[in-house]
Amino acid sequence: MENICGTWSIGITKKRVPLEKFAPLNLAKSKILGKPMESPKKNILLIFPAAPRFRGSGVEQRAFFHLDTLAALGHLHLVIPRPIRSRTPDLSEAHNFCSSSHIIKIKNKKSKSSKIPGLTFLYRLLFLHEKDYDLDREDLRCWLHKIGNIKFDAVFCFQALSFLFWEQIRAHIQPARTPLFVDLDDLLSRVARLEFNAKAGRVGLETRALLLLDTIKARWMEKRVCAWAKLVSLCSDADVRRLQKEHRLSGEVLVLPNTIPVQDPLPYRTPKDGATIIFVGTMNYAPNEDAARYLVHEVLPALRRIYNKEIRVLLVGKHPPPAVTELAAPPHVTVTGEVEDVRDYYAKADLVVVTIRFGGGTRIKILEAMMLGKPVVSTAIGAEGLDLKPDEEIVIANDP
């Protein structure tokens, strides 16, 4: 493994590309900070949805990528809003880069629901213009006291929800003219639309209506981002084109591709007693939960009808909800939960599958699998934005 500040790899090109080429470093200097830095004494506020981790989930790795890059620009002050009952994230890796880091609890208004049909939708509709999440006032007060009189020279929001929290923070600390950079990563409005299309025939009327409300609110949030941000980034050209088509931007927009650390490929594995296929992802993320269920309930039976040897499935990833844990049927289907090193499970697999039916952005899991030398079969949506050649670099299949 190369040094974390060194060379990164994009996809399966096997090129070694300097990290700075794909990072907001130079753009941040000229666009966000406004002028070249004589000394690294600028204060940058970072609002992230998850703790940065070099070997974490996709969002954690992208957060680490941003942190590693922006650390060259000055003093970083990290804020991570987290649900009240969620597990406290590990900030040990962030401490290596940040002058300060703080977790602020949030209250989820979307969690309010009713068993009476239609009442949840009515509640959400009546409060459509209200915020879905509120920062805990006491936690916010503690953080404001902690940072004292610091004036931020730039604000970096990772993902759209972080911008929502910046809207709640900015009135307390400084003028609205502070340069704002927002890495949307992907388009939440499109994720919601694709989820609606994928679930339309399998869920009730109220659930479909709630998904439509999610789409509307995501579009409103993206519109506000485009109006406020001096610079907006996404991880694929396709999403950049969609954003430019759907919204009027006050600043610039660019592509920041997902990256992964350079790794040596795993030894070639010769299938013996049947085949082992693997799906990797954070399992409580709705697209991954749906993909795991789709793999076990629809894809696996279809494979068994045409393949006369044993097929084993590994579902690898942290936070599996009940809908995923109930899929376990050892030794045929294994749900691992969080693992220390995902490479150990890739080493047991003959094939990597990405059965994603909705979602956005680009899949770090595909880049990771290819870097390790594993063949990948994915849906078109799962491989979207990676510019891979079908049947040469990846196999695309949308049906079992």
Side-chain angles (χ1 to χ4, degrees):
M1 175 62 62
E2 300 196 11
N3 186 281
I4 59 177
C5 296
T7 304
W8 290 58
S9 175
I10 306 296
I12 58 166
T13 59
K14 301 190 184 301
K15 298 177 182 177
R16 295 178 180 259
V17 184
L19 175 63
E20 289 80 2
K21 182 175 181 180
F22 293 99
L25 180 60
N26 295 324
L27 283 164
K29 287 180 179 178
S30 60
K31 302 297 182 182
I32 296 181
L33 298 178
K35 60 181 180 180
M37 294 176 52
E38 292 80 13
S39 61
K41 294 185 178 180
K42 300 291 184 178
N43 286 299
I44 306 174
L45 173 62
L46 310 179
I47 307 177
F48 283 7
R53 292 179 59 199
F54 182 59
R55 285 198 175 279
S57 64
V59 66
E60 291 168 339
Q61 288 186 44
R62 190 169 175 91
F64 184 94
F65 156 80
H66 289 316
L67 200 65
D68 182 39
T69 303
L70 295 171
L73 299 178
H75 300 303
L76 305 183
H77 302 270
L78 176 64
V79 171
I80 301 180
R82 297 289 296 173
I84 290 176
R85 294 180 179 85
S86 65
R87 186 174 60 179
T88 302
D90 180 5
L91 297 180
S92 57
E93 294 184 54
H95 292 157
N96 296 327
F97 299 91
C98 297
S99 298
S100 69
S101 57
H102 199 83
I103 297 170
I104 300 181
K105 294 191 290 290
I106 59 175
K107 300 175 182 178
N108 184 359
K109 295 180 179 179
K110 289 176 64 175
S111 62
K112 293 185 178 180
S113 61
S114 172
K115 294 182 180 179
I116 302 175
L119 202 57
T120 300
F121 171 75
L122 180 60
Y123 172 83
R124 293 276 306 280
L125 184 62
L126 288 174
F127 294 95
L128 188 60
H129 290 275
E130 298 290 326
K131 300 185 295 290
D132 287 334
Y133 304 91
D134 273 331
L135 294 173
D136 181 83
R137 292 183 180 181
E138 182 62 23
D139 274 11
L140 179 59
R141 185 192 65 79
C142 290
W143 176 70
L144 292 171
H145 177 75
K146 180 179 178 181
I147 63 172
N149 296 321
I150 292 177
K151 296 297 181 182
F152 295 108
D153 300 286
V155 178
F156 185 101
C157 294
F158 176 29
Q159 295 193 340
L161 280 178
S162 295
F163 170 78
L164 184 151
F165 300 124
W166 165 238
E167 290 182 312
Q168 299 179 45
I169 290 173
R170 66 185 178 209
H172 296 278
I173 56 176
Q174 60 196 85
R177 293 188 300 273
T178 305
L180 174 67
F181 182 101
V182 181
D183 177 35
L184 287 176
D185 191 9
D186 56 22
L187 295 177
L188 283 182
S189 59
R190 184 165 185 270
V191 173
R193 285 199 302 270
L194 291 173
E195 183 175 3
F196 174 84
N197 293 337
K199 293 182 176 180
R202 300 182 286 117
V203 296
L205 179 61
E206 184 175 26
T207 300
R208 296 200 300 272
L210 290 171
L211 288 172
L212 287 177
L213 292 185
D214 287 342
T215 303
I216 293 170
K217 297 205 76 167
R219 281 182 57 84
W220 288 350
M221 186 158 48
E222 289 161 1
K223 183 178 180 180
R224 296 200 304 276
V225 167
C226 292
W228 275 93
K230 193 168 186 177
L231 203 60
V232 177
S233 64
L234 293 131
C235 63
S236 74
D237 290 301
D239 278 344
V240 165
R241 290 192 295 270
R242 293 185 186 103
L243 187 72
Q244 291 172 324
K245 181 179 179 181
E246 296 179 7
H247 299 289
R248 182 177 179 179
L249 290 103
S250 62
E252 297 187 36
V253 61
L254 73 154
V255 177
L256 291 180
N258 276 321
T259 62
I260 59 172
V262 173
Q263 303 179 61
D264 293 328
L266 294 168
Y268 177 74
R269 171 185 165 90
T270 302
K272 295 180 180 179
D273 302 323
T276 300
I277 61 179
I278 185 173
F279 174 78
V280 177
T282 301
M283 293 299 172
N284 62 350
Y285 177 49
N288 288 338
E289 177 185 329
D290 176 81
R293 290 171 57 82
Y294 177 58
L295 170 60
V296 173
H297 290 317
E298 300 187 40
V299 176
L300 183 57
L303 289 175
R304 284 174 171 162
R305 286 194 294 268
I306 61 176
Y307 189 69
N308 59 8
K309 294 184 179 180
E310 177 62 31
I311 300 177
R312 295 171 293 275
V313 172
L314 297 175
L315 301 177
V316 180
K318 62 183 179 180
H319 307 321
V324 174
T325 55
E326 69 183 15
L327 299 174
H332 309 295
V333 179
T334 301
V335 179
T336 67
E338 187 170 8
V339 299
E340 184 173 347
D341 190 350
V342 72
R343 286 172 57 97
D344 295 338
Y345 292 86
Y346 276 122
K348 300 175 183 179
D350 304 298
L351 179 68
V352 177
V353 295
V354 182
T355 46
I356 296 288
R357 296 192 289 182
F358 59 91
T362 58
R363 314 291 160 214
I364 285 181
K365 58 173 68 74
I366 292 180
L367 304 181
E368 185 175 59
M370 291 179 166
M371 176 63 69
L372 295 174
K374 293 295 180 178
V376 180
V377 177
S378 173
T379 60
I381 289 176
E384 188 177 62
L386 292 176
D387 296 326
L388 299 173
K389 296 179 181 178
D391 299 325
E392 293 185 26
E393 299 169 320
I394 192 170
V395 174
I396 300 297
N398 293 314
D399 300 306

